[in-house]
Every structure is written in structure tokens, then in C-alpha cells.
Amino acid sequence: MLRWISFAVIFLLAAPVLIGTLIAGLPAFGYFPTLGSESFSLAPWQDLFEVPGLLKSIGISLMAGLLTPLIALTLVFLFLASASGSRLDKWIRRLVSPLLSLPHAAAAFGLAFLIAPSGLLSRLISPELSGWERPPDLLIVNDGWGLSLLLGLIAKEIPFLLLMSMAALPQTNSVERVTMARSLGYRPTIAWLKTVAPGLYALVRLPVFAVIVFASATVDVALILGPTLPPTLSVMILNWFNDPDLSYRFLAAAAALLQLCISLSAIGCWIALEKFSSLLWKIWINTGDRSTLEPLCFIAGRFGMPAVLLLTAGSLMALVLNSFAGFWRFPDLLPSSWTLRHWSGSIAELATPLANTLIIGIVATSLAIALVLSALEYERRRGLKMSMAMWLLYLPLLVPQVVFLFGIVVFAESLQLQANLPLVIFGHLLFVLPYVFLSLSEAYRHLDPRWSQIAATLGASSTKSFWRIRIPLLLAPSLTAIAIGMAISISLFLPTQLLGAGRITTITTEAIALSSSGSRNLIAVWSVVQLLLPMLGFIAALFIPRLLWRNRAGMKEIQ
Amino acid sequence: MSPHLLKLQNIKIAIEGKSLLDIDCEISGGEIYTVMGPSGSGKSSLLSFIAGFLSPAFTTQGEVFIDGKNLTHLPAEKRKVGLLFQDPLLFPHLSVAGNLRFGISQKRNNKDELISSGLSDIGLAGFEDRDPHTLSGGQKSRVALLRLLLSEPNAVLLDEPFNKLDSHLRRELRAQVFDTLRATGLPTILVTHDHEDAEAANGTVVVLK
């Protein structure tokens, strides 16, 4: 039974992504039986290359795909190098899971409200410092170069890379290595960068690739923060796909294939960059320099990443303020009146999307946690680690969503499948499953095997010791994994939008649909709801174990 | 309880072609058979093999019998072989009574009385609802021993069980464990690298290389 579930996990993740990608490619060459086109042609490509601004779109996607991981990873590594073991480090470690759970759409809206010409930051410096009496006429959000998009992506990916790095850090013996290097005269930050960073990078390489793909192909963040004339390629694909004129599907398919090439090229460039950095590192290590760059790295590490996190905190504040703001004249930092009108006006419209969000999230996450626990339990009983499966787990994160989801929709349509809730839930499962697995697998594998052995010598079957020993001992990480799964599901835009054909609405799809309305207050209300849901999950994951084990002091030492 | 007989028949354990140990012996009820040797000599692998959770990375030969019944191919939970590690490993999410109850056969009906009389025998009367974490080191070890006995094993394996205790407590607990195991007539294998343990066990001593 467990064995089949393990294979099902792999099949569920790999097959839809591979099949979806292949099928997405067919209409790109003119083959689309549903639309009555059964011969191959290159016409979609000719149309695609005549789209005005295409090169610029490609350029922005590539830039976002490369600069996002480069800057985010640099800040995360410099932070770990300069702050490991400090109080700041402990404090940020606690924040990282809730930060990871911020839905990207809400975070992007918050950032827009923070940095826009009439946003919080501009109000903070006006009129005293800037001299602005009216919002300056600047295109900050949706700027043509994609800089605000880049900032949003960096702020979004830092918590992810930080979490992945912290999970891998214990395998690098970082404390011993730094101590050893320091005894040889290296300053602490330099010691970390020279002895821990190369090994740690090898362990977080796959997550970095996932960041490259996400950043080069994001749809939701680009819809909110990205350039508009032209938009990024991923947004163009969505627009063409949703066009009432179905012949645009050919163009969309060609563009999806181009998107896949761009994401893969970004990975290719990154690998070249890896080679170059590795050479640079070798030279730097061989110089034997112990302190020259210490002050620079220390300051950049201690202030760089925390500054980005502060920006995120500011974004959240901007959302909350906007959702309660009444009259708010420009240079005033705070609104002059407060109101519940935006909230009371939205309640009726929130009901259905909220119910959909919860149903999809709960079903997808329950399926994911059941599959993940079965796979991990199977692995434990067999005593073998599934190293091959690791790549497959990342597959839905390594192929641009817009590409394979497109294919799945085309496939579903060719089977005459209507867009429905189970299909959307299945789409969510593809993304929830890897995150649930990634967040639970380390804890599960590192549970002291002697607990299960003792249980067995006391006559407990594998099933009994699973339910009575392993599940309770791993309750806290399991609940965290569930909270992460829920958070991922709540934040998903594209799977709901494409597989639900726009008919199944969630808080996220509605919030993004509102973005064109321009009503800041309404957007803020929906974004705050979007933020609160995962936060409730994390609060529950934190407090349920504390409540259950309040008289069990030994449970603190298990994790 | 009638005394049991543990028989290790031509047991050979090897890893990656390197032979670790080769044992053939009979351990009668109440006897404490001591296996000594440096770390990496395969002492703990022997216990894992007998208890039924040796990693498949090892290659093994030979059979384990208790009272003439072959255990070698049974799953760990069906072997009725009790085990004590150097940590007491009381389940941290269960109370003291919950830990003891976990090992008692489901068919027993007077479980509560069994637990409370067992606790008063080891000087911990009234400790049922306590959080195991709040017990002293010696108390935890005694609860672990009681948990093992209440699960009614047919043989006992001791994996350096006194290793982490200070010397005073060590002597006291060792005497208590050995006396109890002799009194209940359980064949016992003790793995240790402490000569005092081996002397106190007062049985056959095998030294692995």
C-alpha cells in the first residue's frame, strides 16, 4: 500500500508537468484539434515575433530570472555569514516561516502601496525632505525597466532561500569550520564565506534553480508590479490565453514554449555564473586574505537582508492602513479619518471566494500531508533514501507554471473536461505537495530511530508506533508543514485562474482582478484577508503543540 | 515466570565484506552474557540483529531462538525481546503511566493496578501522572526498566545502559537491574566497554576485536 502511494507521489508530480509541457508545445506548431487545426505550421512563431516589444519583454524576464536569485542569495549568505549565532539570527529564524507564507500577491500590493508616488515612503519624506506637496509624477510601480518587479521578487524569495539555507546548514558543520578558520586568523564573516558558503551553496542549488524559474516566469507578481507596455512575456501568455478569440491560443502556445526556453536559458546563464564564481572563490581563498573585506561583508550582511525584511513589514503596514483609511490627503503620513466602510462593503463579496479558498486549501493540503507522510513512512521502513525523487519533487517548481498548466488545460479540454473544483484542487496539489514534502522530510528523517525501535521491542506494530509515537513526536513539524501547504494553496493564482477557467474564484484571484480597478482601499481589504488566512494557520501550528504538551517539558528537546 | 533460553546459532555479521563478529552460544534464564569490544566492533549490530532492526546494509547469517522458537525472520514487534539503551528513552509525549501502559499487552485487564504496584516496587508510588521529563536520571532509568518488564519479554538486551550515569548511581542502578533480571529468569545480553559492568554481570564474557 505504502509502496504504491510513494510511486503515486512521484507520478502525480512528474507526469502532469511533463505531459503538460509537451501538450503546450503542440499548438505552438499549429496543431490544435479542438480548434479544428490538425496540420503543423510555423505561423504562430511568425505572429509571435511580430509582437511589438517582444525583445524588451524577453529582456526583462531574463533580467528578473538572473538578478533575483543573485541578489537574494547574496543577501541571505552575507546575513548568515555575519549573523550566525547572534540574537538577530535567532529572531529572524522565528520570522522566516510566517514570512514565507505571505501570499505573493498581497506582498506585491503592499510593496506597491509602500513605494508608489503617493505611497507610505513618499509621505514619510514629504514635504520636509522632498519638497513634494503633491504626489510626484513618477512611474515607480510598473516601471518600464521592471525594477519594482525585481524588488518585489527579491523580497519574496529571500525568506524561501533563507529557510532552505537554514535547513541545510547543519549538514555543513558550519560552527566547527568557522571556529577552525578563526583559530587560523580569519575574521568571522570571511571565515564563514570561505569555509561554509561553497558547501552550503551545493546544498541549496535546486531551490536556487526554482527561484530562477519562478522569477523569470512569474505571472501574479508581474501583473501587480511589472511593466505594462509591454508586459512581461508571462503576462502576455495569460492575456492571449484568456482572449475570447480562441485563435490567440496558437500565439499563447508559441509564447509558452518561448517562456520555457527563456527560463532554461536563465538557468544556463546561472550555471556559467556558477563556474565563474567558483573560480573567483578559489582565487580569493588562495590569497589567504583574512580580513580585508570583513567590514564590508559584515555591514552588508547585518543590514542588507534585515532591510529587505523591514520593507516587507512596511508593505504589510501599508496594506492595513489602506484597508481602514478614510480621507487621506497626500503629504499626511496617516489618514485623517478611519472607516470600516471598505470592510463592511466587501463582506458579501468575500463569502464565495473565501469558501472556495478554504475548500481548495484544506482538501489539497490534506491530500498532500497524507501522501507525504505515507512516502516518508515507506522510506523509513525500507531504510532507503529516495535521492532520485528529490529532482522530481522540484519538477513543478522547475518548469514555468504558465507552460505546463497551459498544457494541462488543453489536455483537459480535449477530454471534454469542464473546468471544475477537483481539477483546480489537483492543480494546487502539484504545488502544495513539494512544499509540504520539503518542510517535513528533514524532521521526519532526523527523528531518533531509537524511539521506533523501543516501541517495537515493547510489542508495537509499525502502524501502532506510527500513530502513537512518530505522529505525536512530529506533531509540531507536521502542523508547520500543513500551515505551509495551506499558505501555498492560498497564494496560488495561476492554477486557479487557468484550471478554473476564471469561473472558480478565490481570495487571490479576486484580489488580482481588482488590481485594474485602482481602488486601493478595496485591494487592501482583500490583501489583508489573504494575509490573515495563512497567518491563522501558523498561529495554530505554533500553539496547538504548546497547548497539548504544556505538561510535557521533554517535547521541547525533540525538535 | 519460568526461565527462558536464548540461543544464538552460528551468527555471523559482516559489512561491506568485512566480518564483524561470529558468535555461537546459549544463554540460560537469569544469566547475563557480556559482550565487550571497542566501538565499531559490531557489539550494537549484534543487538540490532537479535532485536530485529539491523540495517539491510549488513550481511548476516545464523539464527536466533528463544525456547526453541526461531525468531530470525519475525518482525521486531513479534520477537518479545526487551531492550534498554544508554538513554532511558521515555516517550516525552506520554505520562509515566502512559509510558508503562504502552508496553503492556492489550489482553491484560488490570493494567492500572499493574502500573501502580510496579511503580511502588521501584519506590515511585503515585508517579502515574508525572511528566517523565521531571524525573531524575535514576528515576527515569527505573521507569524504563519497569516498562520493559511490564511488556513481558522473553529475553533482554542491554546496550551500554549505565554509560551516561555517574559512578555512584551507576553501581546502584546496575545492582538493581541485574538483580531484577536474574530474579525474573530472563536471559540477558549486555553490551558494554566497562570492565566493572562485566564483573558485576558475573557470567560469560566475550571480547570482540
Side-chain angles (χ1 to χ4, degrees):
Chain A
M1 175 68 178
L2 283 182
R3 181 191 171 91
W4 293 113
I5 293 176
S6 303
F7 288 132
V9 170
I10 292 165
F11 183 76
L12 264 180
L13 288 172
V17 177
L18 296 175
I19 294 172
T21 308
L22 284 178
I23 290 178
L26 292 177
F29 295 97
Y31 184 82
F32 203 162
T34 322
L35 290 187
S37 168
E38 293 188 357
S39 62
F40 288 93
S41 85
L42 287 174
W45 292 95
Q46 284 157 3
D47 295 343
L48 179 62
F49 289 112
E50 278 163 18
V51 170
L54 183 73
L55 271 182
K56 197 175 173 207
S57 294
I58 294 175
I60 287 174
S61 297
L62 261 180
M63 178 208 70
L66 287 171
L67 289 183
T68 304
L70 184 65
I71 298 174
L73 190 70
T74 306
L75 291 177
V76 166
F77 269 36
L78 283 174
F79 171 76
L80 290 172
S82 65
S84 279
S86 68
R87 282 222 318 261
L88 182 67
D89 183 33
K90 279 189 197 127
W91 204 69
I92 285 184
R93 271 165 196 259
R94 276 189 217 139
L95 274 176
V96 63
S97 289
L99 277 177
L100 184 66
S101 77
L102 288 184
H104 2 280
F109 279 125
L111 188 66
F113 294 170
L114 188 67
I115 62 174
S118 59
L120 269 192
L121 281 181
S122 153
R123 289 168 187 271
L124 197 62
I125 56 166
S126 299
E128 293 82 3
L129 287 172
S130 62
W132 294 329
E133 291 291 344
R134 283 186 298 133
D137 190 16
L138 296 170
L139 189 61
I140 298 178
V141 177
N142 308 118
D143 64 294
W145 292 102
L147 294 178
S148 55
L149 169 64
L150 185 62
L151 185 62
L153 286 170
I154 291 170
K156 176 67 205 150
E157 296 301 348
I158 277 182
F160 174 63
L161 288 177
L162 184 62
L163 189 75
M164 292 295 148
S165 305
M166 287 186 334
L169 205 52
Q171 294 176 49
T172 61
N173 297 325
S174 60
V175 179
E176 291 83 353
R177 289 191 194 182
V178 168
T179 312
M180 172 53 73
R182 288 183 69 178
S183 76
L184 296 171
Y186 287 83
R187 302 283 296 132
T189 310
I190 303 291
W192 194 95
L193 289 172
K194 286 194 171 183
T195 63
V196 181
L200 183 61
Y201 177 73
L203 295 171
V204 297
R205 200 162 172 243
L206 271 182
V208 168
F209 285 3
V211 170
I212 296 173
V213 172
F214 181 82
S216 63
T218 173
V219 172
D220 41 9
V221 184
L223 274 172
I224 298 164
L225 293 172
T228 46
L229 288 170
T232 62
L233 186 64
S234 51
V235 172
M236 286 197 221
I237 298 172
L238 182 69
N239 291 340
W240 290 328
F241 188 85
N242 285 338
D243 202 289
D245 179 354
L246 288 178
S247 65
Y248 274 95
R249 290 285 183 93
F250 294 104
L251 195 56
L257 222 54
L258 181 62
Q259 176 69 63
L260 182 64
C261 295
I262 291 172
S263 297
L264 291 179
S265 321
I267 291 183
C269 293
W270 184 266
I271 291 173
L273 195 66
E274 279 177 351
K275 295 260 185 307
F276 177 68
S277 319
S278 130
L279 192 70
L280 218 60
W281 232 255
K282 234 174 246 167
I283 296 171
W284 186 44
I285 291 173
N286 283 344
T287 60
D289 186 84
R290 282 152 168 78
S291 57
T292 315
L293 290 170
E294 173 77 13
L296 182 69
C297 293
F298 183 81
I299 291 169
R302 278 289 175 105
F303 294 99
M305 199 190 80
V308 178
L309 297 185
L310 212 61
L311 203 67
T312 307
S315 308
L316 302 189
M317 211 157 69
L319 284 179
V320 176
L321 284 179
N322 272 288
S323 78
F324 291 109
F327 185 65
W328 199 356
R329 214 168 56 88
F330 170 66
D332 297 349
L333 185 57
L334 293 175
S336 48
S337 68
W338 303 91
T339 176
L340 288 172
R341 202 180 61 232
H342 317 305
W343 283 90
S344 57
S346 305
I347 285 175
E349 281 142 55
L350 276 167
T352 311
L354 188 62
N356 282 341
T357 305
L358 290 176
I359 292 170
I360 296 169
I362 289 170
V363 177
T365 308
S366 313
L367 286 172
I369 193 85
L371 290 170
V372 165
L373 282 173
S374 310
L376 287 168
E377 179 66 8
Y378 173 66
E379 181 189 272
R380 193 196 67 82
R381 290 186 194 175
R382 286 278 308 271
L384 297 169
K385 202 171 165 177
M386 306 187 288
S387 52
M388 235 311 273
M390 280 307 290
W391 269 95
L392 291 173
L393 267 179
Y394 273 103
L395 207 54
L397 311 180
L398 289 177
V399 176
Q401 299 180 13
V402 70
V403 178
F404 71 86
L405 287 174
F406 186 134
I408 293 177
V409 173
V410 171
F411 185 60
E413 282 171 351
S414 73
L415 296 178
Q416 311 286 327
L417 274 177
Q418 288 293 313
N420 55 20
L421 206 57
L423 198 62
V424 173
I425 290 172
F426 173 72
H428 278 234
L429 185 60
L430 288 180
F431 297 94
V432 171
L433 196 56
Y435 281 102
V436 170
F437 191 92
L438 290 173
S439 71
L440 189 54
S441 56
E442 283 309 300
Y444 207 91
R445 288 169 180 159
H446 286 151
L447 183 70
D448 192 336
R450 295 179 306 169
W451 293 118
S452 307
Q453 295 176 352
I454 278 283
T457 63
L458 293 171
S461 64
S462 286
T463 312
K464 182 179 173 187
S465 75
F466 173 75
W467 291 108
R468 303 266 312 268
I469 303 298
R470 286 188 288 283
I471 289 288
L473 291 182
L474 291 166
L475 184 70
S478 303
L479 289 175
T480 305
I482 290 173
I484 289 180
M486 280 296 286
I488 295 293
S489 167
I490 290 164
S491 75
L492 285 175
F493 167 69
L494 211 52
T496 324
Q497 183 71 22
L498 289 182
L499 299 176
R503 286 197 291 276
I504 292 168
T505 58
T506 62
I507 299 289
T508 300
T509 60
E510 289 300 277
I512 291 177
L514 276 173
S515 70
S516 52
S517 77
S519 165
R520 281 196 183 181
N521 306 114
L522 280 185
I523 293 173
V525 167
W526 287 74
S527 299
V528 171
V529 174
Q530 214 198 350
L531 284 177
L532 282 177
L533 293 177
M535 214 173 279
L536 292 176
F538 278 99
I539 291 173
L542 194 66
F543 284 100
I544 290 173
R546 287 200 186 172
L547 192 71
L548 278 177
W549 314 132
R550 64 191 179 284
N551 292 325
R552 296 286 176 261
M555 288 302 289
K556 287 198 191 80
E557 288 162 21
I558 290 295
Q559 290 316 315
Chain B
M1 259 182 264
S2 61
H4 298 282
L5 181 75
L6 172 64
K7 189 173 168 196
L8 306 182
Q9 189 176 296
N10 286 323
I11 291 178
K12 293 187 175 72
I13 299 180
I15 185 158
E16 287 162 4
K18 183 178 158 263
S19 169
L20 288 176
L21 59 85
D22 187 344
I23 276 188
D24 184 70
C25 66
E26 271 186 22
I27 303 154
S28 52
E31 185 190 344
I32 300 172
Y33 184 92
T34 306
V35 180
M36 297 190 74
S39 40
S41 61
K43 319 187 285 286
S44 295
S45 312
L46 175 66
L47 297 194
S48 297
F49 178 68
I50 299 169
F53 30 72
L54 189 65
S55 152
F58 291 87
T59 46
T60 57
Q61 272 179 44
E63 320 262 86
V64 182
F65 295 91
I66 292 182
D67 305 332
K69 186 181 164 201
N70 191 340
L71 302 186
T72 323
H73 306 289
L74 287 179
E77 68 267 20
K78 299 242 166 85
R79 295 190 179 199
K80 300 198 81 112
V81 172
L83 179 61
L84 282 186
F85 286 109
Q86 49 180 271
D87 297 305
L89 294 175
L90 298 179
F91 299 123
H93 60 296
L94 300 177
S95 64
V96 168
N99 266 280
L100 298 174
R101 187 185 295 270
F102 188 86
I104 301 176
S105 160
Q106 279 175 316
K107 290 170 204 137
R108 294 297 290 255
N109 31 28
N110 47 350
K111 288 184 193 136
D112 287 337
E113 288 123 67
L114 218 61
I115 289 169
S116 64
S117 73
L119 280 173
S120 54
D121 286 348
I122 58 170
L124 296 176
F127 271 54
E128 282 90 341
D129 293 331
R130 286 278 292 269
D131 176 2
H133 192 75
T134 62
L135 270 51
S136 73
Q139 288 172 334
K140 283 181 196 165
S141 301
R142 280 182 276 158
V143 174
L145 176 65
L146 178 61
R147 180 175 67 178
L148 177 146
L149 293 173
L150 288 179
S151 75
E152 300 177 88
N154 295 332
V156 174
L157 309 172
L158 305 174
D159 192 355
E160 311 200 31
F162 316 115
N163 223 15
K164 284 194 173 166
L165 303 170
D166 62 50
S167 57
H168 169 71
L169 194 58
R170 193 178 175 123
R171 237 164 289 154
E172 190 187 306
L173 196 77
R174 181 164 55 211
Q176 195 174 8
V177 171
F178 287 177
D179 290 347
T180 314
L181 292 175
R182 283 192 192 105
T184 47
L186 288 167
T188 301
I189 299 181
L190 166 71
V191 154
T192 182
H193 52 239
D194 180 5
H195 288 280
E196 273 186 50
D197 284 352
E199 271 166 44
N202 197 20
T204 316
V205 178
V206 195
V207 181
L208 301 177
K209 300 218 169 54

